[in-house]
Amino acid sequence: MRKVLLSIVSALVTSLSLIAPNPASATVIGATGCNARVANAAATAAVATTTVWMAGDSTMANPSATCPVGWATEFDSLFHSNIVVNNLAVAGRSIQTWLYEGNVTSTIGSNGECVLSSTTYSSRWQQMLTDMKAGDYLFIQFGINDGSTTCPRHVGTARYQALMTMMAQAALARGAHPVLLTAVAAITCSGSTAVKNRGFVSQTIAAGAATGSPVIDLQTLSVDYYNSLGLCPNNGDYTSGPVGQFFCNDHTHFEAYGARRIARLVTGALRTQNIPLAGSLL
């Protein structure tokens, strides 16, 4: 009987050894599964980036010299790596010359607006329309050069509102999120107080209301900030002191220090206005 039992036990052991997984094979399978998960995670991370598109003028634009530096230049460094800033702001542009580069003539039409030789969009706006994806953001800030009385930069208030509304609607149609901004203020003093000096404010607000887009009142934020720094009064010397640290040798454009401060005003507004992009701030 004992021999019979031993034979049965031996047979069971042999059978189990045949069906048990090879430890080395189990390790390989586990490693392969882990590698696949890592690869999938990396692929997901690669497609999960959000692009922040920037449309504006020299107060936003990337620098071509030490000064001026646009505030949008400093934006990327304030976010986690899932945010990519594509700054297509260009110095000297109104909203219309930015949209229709080379096609805005120097002739004022009977409606008081600069005549377009063609309605073909600029390459920068075409790039945005092509590459903008759902979840992206579009920041739009003009309203400085637009106040010119002569073409091609002149833009009337109704035209300005219509163009900003059109840009916001184009972003929405692609599942992106427009954020409209009033123009950042220059430093203008009335005695010891910095005062507002930009137009197209009500038109920007109206475009926001028409499209359900948040509006950041950067003019008010910047003027309030200048007053908090005590930049007024000043003697007009933009080469030294607190004013010289903030501005180039004019009253409009920013040194890198000033651009960083303005960029932080914008990110602060993202938080206070509960704009979801704030969730990616450092």
Side-chain angles (χ1 to χ4, degrees):
M1 176 63 72
R2 186 172 183 176
K3 289 182 179 180
V4 172
L5 289 173
L6 287 173
S7 297
I8 293 172
V9 169
S10 177
L12 287 171
V13 170
T14 302
S15 299
L16 289 171
S17 68
L18 291 173
I19 64 174
N22 184 302
S25 298
T27 302
V28 171
I29 291 171
T32 302
C34 181
N35 289 340
R37 286 193 296 273
V38 171
N40 289 338
T44 300
V47 300
T49 56
T50 296
T51 300
V52 177
W53 301 90
M54 296 287 192
D57 54 35
S58 59
T59 60
M60 292 177 71
N62 292 328
S64 58
T66 305
C67 202
V69 177
W71 65 258
T73 303
E74 305 293 328
F75 215 55
D76 188 71
S77 63
L78 303 176
F79 289 89
H80 288 288
S81 59
N82 64 307
I83 301 299
V84 176
V85 176
N86 195 336
N87 186 10
L88 298 181
V90 184
R93 299 311 190 267
S94 65
I95 191 170
Q96 184 158 253
T97 56
W98 188 94
L99 282 166
Y100 301 101
E101 185 76 42
N103 294 322
V104 186
T105 72
S106 298
T107 302
I108 295 183
S110 58
N111 61 353
E113 297 293 345
C114 301
V115 175
L116 298 180
S117 60
S118 168
T119 56
T120 300
Y121 289 133
S122 65
S123 59
R124 65 184 73 93
W125 182 230
Q126 289 184 36
Q127 178 187 348
M128 286 190 182
L129 294 176
T130 300
D131 295 343
M132 192 180 296
K133 64 185 183 299
D136 284 354
Y137 282 80
L138 171 61
F139 281 62
I140 309 169
Q141 182 221 281
F142 292 96
I144 297 176
N145 301 302
D146 314 68
S148 173
T149 58
T150 59
C151 292
R153 297 201 296 184
H154 166 76
V155 182
T157 54
R159 176 70 170 163
Y160 184 92
Q161 182 177 323
L163 291 176
M164 183 166 277
T165 299
M166 178 273 289
M167 292 178 73
Q169 289 172 335
L172 291 169
R174 287 158 178 77
H177 310 289
V179 178
L180 315 184
L181 300 96
T182 61
V184 63
I187 180 67
T188 301
C189 298
S190 176
S192 60
T193 304
V195 295
K196 297 178 180 179
N197 43 48
R198 300 300 187 205
F200 303 98
V201 173
S202 61
Q203 289 74 29
T204 302
I205 294 170
T211 58
S213 306
V215 175
I216 295 176
D217 188 2
L218 189 53
Q219 175 172 217
T220 297
L221 290 173
S222 56
V223 168
D224 289 348
Y225 188 61
Y226 302 158
N227 281 318
S228 74
L229 296 177
L231 297 185
C232 291
N234 63 71
N235 61 5
D237 181 4
Y238 300 103
T239 62
S240 62
V243 173
Q245 181 184 29
F246 207 99
F247 292 94
C248 303
N249 192 19
D250 60 20
H251 68 292
T252 299
H253 299 103
F254 306 114
E255 296 279 359
Y257 172 84
R260 285 193 293 271
R261 302 283 78 76
I262 297 299
R264 288 196 176 276
L265 291 181
V266 177
T267 57
L270 293 178
R271 287 193 171 102
T272 58
Q273 294 180 219
N274 296 316
I275 297 171
L277 182 61
S280 294
L281 286 166
L282 293 172

